[in-house]
Amino acid sequence: MSRLAALRDSALFKTALLFFLLMLLCIPLAQIEWLIAERGDSQRMATSELAQTHVGSQTLVGPLLVVPYVERWQVAVRNERGEQTGLEPRSELRYQLFFPQQLELDGTLMPEDRYRGIFKVPFYKLDGKLSGRFAPFAMQQLAQQVKGSEIEVLTPVLALSVTDLRGLEGAPRLTLADERLGFGRRVPHVPPKSWLASGVHAPLSGAALRAFQGGQPLPFALALRLTGQNQLAVAPLGEETSARLASPWPHPRFGGRFLAAERTVTNAGFDARWRIAALTSQAREQVRTGLEGDIDSVETFDVALAQPVNVYSMSERAVKYGVLFIGLVLMAVFMVELFKRLPLHPVQYALVGLSIAVFFLLLVALSEKIGFALAYAAATAASVALLASYFSAVLDSAARGLSLAGYVATLYGALYGLLVSESNALLLGALLVFGMLAALMLATRHVDWWRMGRRDAAGG
């Protein structure tokens, strides 16, 4: 046998060739990972486009009272010698915000799906009732900038702000001190470029205005229907704020500054309750001082209708194990070739590796249509069936082909376990690699590799 043929058939040369082949297979894996990232970006773009054309996530701030007032005072007018010659009247329009003494929210989030192309984005429809009361008003509560000035209180308004007014279905229904009040666009008296100014307001009138002027408590009840995308956030503006939100959506994600004090999550949906005291929240002060900023800078508690499985993040995590997965399969095939003395061509190894790389492509393509779990099962079944048929042919034995296909199916099952156990993925992955390496070392602990290599080079 020539030296070239001896080198070609040596175990060491084949090991190096397989390692080189594994590195080449990283190229299609990288392309598939890039494709998954691109599809994920397309999904986020679809979500953003729906937010622009329909409605985005919502932050609810209110209700609160905006009390405008005019402060009047006089300043001395002096001549060139500094002598007072008279008094000149001055005035300035100011406003002050008043927050509920008690605030209660009781709402139901009904989920609904909207589509942008093939991408599904979760929306909700809030059917909510806000109730509570404002403490009695007193003139002493208004900030007096000039000592000795006179203050004239103008008509107060009740203000309500949401991130995207397009989500309001009809006007909110408000009863304040037994008076039905109607809402109008924008909120007067506050800075015109502030996020609160872009909300809605209801001027106090009738019994509500008389109760305010008479220093009486102002109980209120406000019903609204609000559509939003994915997430609802609520600012706890009450001295005491309590809230209950329920939904048939079984996969909530709770967030914000305050987590739910009580929550029940089942396959039939969730029911969550919050109890927040003003002593533990900076929301009031943030509203007073941050009107020129962003509404999202206000402390909130929130709930989101989370997707149970993000097919792109799951697929991206799966393909990250691709090199390890292909390496374990090629190692198993190489062991069979080595011990059963069945010469395989590098092209056959390359086809096996490519078939596994295509599994990840098939996984992401199917998961866009039928969900990740079903897509994984279908891609696994197709890949295992293909490899069983191919191994049976190239190894001249159906039993060997089915055994290797069963080994690949086991690896697919282990990979799925890694993906669904996100918190334990590192531990399970480490145990899988260690177990495979331990099995290989124990199975070959009595093999004389030098002798096997010389035997291969000698042709038997």
Side-chain angles (χ1 to χ4, degrees), residues 121-141:
V121 180
F123 281 74
Y124 61 82
K125 188 170 292 184
L126 169 68
D127 187 357
K129 296 180 181 179
L130 291 157
S131 59
R133 69 172 187 170
F134 291 93
F137 169 76
M139 291 286 291
Q140 294 82 359
Q141 295 174 285

Side-chain angles (χ1 to χ4, degrees), residues 56-80:
S57 60
Q58 297 281 20
T59 298
L60 174 65
V61 179
L64 65 154
L65 281 178
V66 180
V67 180
Y69 61 98
V70 178
E71 184 175 7
R72 295 186 174 89
W73 69 96
Q74 293 181 329
V75 295
V77 178
R78 300 182 184 275
N79 58 23
E80 296 177 355

